[in-house]
Amino acid sequence: MPVASIDPPPGPCYNRLGAVRILDLAGASVSEIVVIGSLNMDLVVRAPRLPSPGETVRGEAFRTIPGGKGANQAAAIALLGQPVTMLGRVGDDAFGEQLAQNLGAKGVDPAHLLATVGVATGTATIIVDAAGQNSIVIAPGANGQVTPQDVDDCDGLLRQARYLVLQLEIPLETVAHAIDKAARHGVQVVLNPAPAAQLPARLLSRVRYLVPNESEAQWLTGLPVSDAGSAARAADRLRQQGAHTVIITLGSQGAYVASPDGSFHMPVPEVTVVDTTAAGDAFIGGLVVALSRGLSLRDAVRYASCAGALAVTRFGAQTSLPSGAEVERLFQAFRPA
Ligand code: RIB
């Protein structure tokens, strides 16, 4: 069904894509987990290596795969079996329609997705090398149009949430507004500061779980981060800057966690790496699901590590996200000393 053929119902909060009205004030589905963030169509090519400046490299077949850090994290949560609602914007184009339909099919409540007229859906151009490492350039498109007003328009969502999951692929002003609102409603904020941006201490102090990868932790602290020892120093610095609990993901080296109750390093299950795209998103999805089910922080990070590890064994962003049964199996088997 073409997006443009659907008449939007009145009011600022609507979903033209599925012609479903947002009913967050009465009767809409209520999720304890809300994601506010980006949706991208990933434009992906696998190549033997990432090209140097000025170089042309022959790659394999081009693919379009649903992505965007916000949508990936929402999809990860839904696939792990927890109800989740996503607020975000796509363009009124074919990519937008595909992304919204795909998210709904994965089990995410898409009622708060907005189609922005005259703006392109966000894209991410991704090259994946033979070792499964990637380089990504995003063109935000409609993601850049998610406003504080959008957050206010869906106030009912946040009032009933327990966890709000955010990344930095939408305007920082909107992220800041959502964090302030969540703090007022007593909602726990999980912030994945990706791509890295300077975060005021006032905001950090309202974040319950800050989850950067090593390069983002380095960017945020100015300290080198390459292993558990250096991650410990960066995590301490981020806690001094106001973050409550800091979880730095370190790829194949696992994750380092610093919280008011102490700190620890969590290794990751050994797997064959196919593509690291969205491994961090699977980790965050796993973390939030496990926390929302009442697991301890240590077990939640172990569960998240299993989700992230499974995601690197498959190609693509949302195509790589594991099911709840898969993560549960690995979680039962993976018991590091
Ligand atoms: O975290 C992976 C995601 O980053 C990709 O899906 C891409 O869209 C970019 O947002």
Side-chain angles (χ1 to χ4, degrees):
M1 179 167 30
V3 171
S5 70
I6 302 166
D7 282 336
C13 220
Y14 61 88
N15 176 1
R16 299 175 71 218
L17 293 147
V20 178
R21 237 180 131 147
I22 285 183
L23 299 171
D24 63 318
L25 298 177
S29 74
V30 173
S31 307
E32 285 192 341
I33 306 174
V34 174
V35 176
I36 301 181
S38 57
L39 301 93
N40 293 329
M41 185 57 87
D42 290 353
L43 315 174
V44 193
V45 177
R46 183 191 277 283
R49 58 194 164 75
L50 307 179
S52 309
E55 186 189 17
T56 301
V57 171
R58 187 180 298 277
E60 297 174 9
F62 165 76
R63 290 176 64 181
T64 55
I65 300 175
K69 294 183 195 306
N72 295 345
Q73 291 171 23
I77 291 164
L79 288 169
L80 294 173
Q82 244 10 58
V84 55
T85 301
M86 177 164 185
L87 167 62
R89 281 182 179 258
V90 293
D92 61 338
D93 51 21
F95 281 169
E97 186 180 355
Q98 284 169 32
L99 292 179
Q101 282 176 356
N102 170 73
L103 261 197
K106 291 221 154 36
V108 177
D109 177 356
H112 295 265
L113 295 180
L114 302 171
T116 313
V117 176
V119 177
T121 293
T123 58
T125 301
I126 304 182
I127 304 169
V128 181
D129 71 13
Q133 301 303 313
N134 60 49
S135 72
I136 304 181
V137 178
I138 55 170
N143 297 311
Q145 313 272 323
V146 183
T147 63
Q149 186 64 52
D150 290 340
V151 176
D152 286 345
D153 288 344
C154 300
D155 189 62
L157 260 189
L158 282 183
R159 277 184 189 280
Q160 297 171 78
R162 279 177 61 212
Y163 293 92
L164 171 64
V165 183
L166 295 157
Q167 320 74 31
L168 299 180
E169 288 186 338
I170 60 172
L172 186 56
E173 180 199 10
T174 306
V175 172
H177 187 73
I179 290 176
D180 286 343
K181 212 173 217 326
R184 277 200 299 281
H185 294 329
V187 179
Q188 299 202 1
V189 174
V190 179
L191 176 62
N192 173 214
Q198 217 46 255
L199 301 169
R202 186 186 66 79
L203 267 196
L204 273 186
S205 65
R206 294 180 168 184
V207 171
R208 178 68 186 221
Y209 300 97
L210 183 72
V211 193
N213 66 15
E214 60 254 80
S215 71
E216 290 143 10
Q218 186 160 321
W219 201 95
L220 289 170
T221 61
L223 298 171
V225 180
S226 58
D227 54 19
S230 50
R233 288 185 283 279
D236 284 347
R237 176 73 59 87
L238 288 166
R239 291 205 61 243
Q240 282 156 17
Q241 290 171 8
H244 181 277
T245 294
V246 178
I247 303 170
I248 301 180
T249 56
L250 298 163
S252 60
Q253 297 184 82
Y256 185 85
V257 182
S259 80
D261 299 326
S263 51
F264 61 90
H265 171 248
M266 177 62 64
V268 69
E270 263 184 51
V271 290
T272 304
V273 179
V274 172
D275 178 5
T276 55
T277 308
D281 300 326
F283 180 98
I284 289 172
L287 177 76
V288 179
V289 165
L291 290 169
S292 72
R293 290 179 182 162
L295 271 66
S296 67
L297 180 59
R298 187 179 286 272
D299 279 347
V301 173
R302 181 162 64 93
Y303 187 89
S305 300
C306 293
L310 287 166
V312 306
T313 64
R314 297 176 197 137
F315 193 70
Q318 286 172 43
T319 45
S320 74
L321 298 171
S323 70
E326 288 173 309
V327 177
E328 190 58 38
R329 261 197 307 278
L330 186 55
F331 179 65
Q332 293 307 333
F334 178 61
R335 295 182 185 275

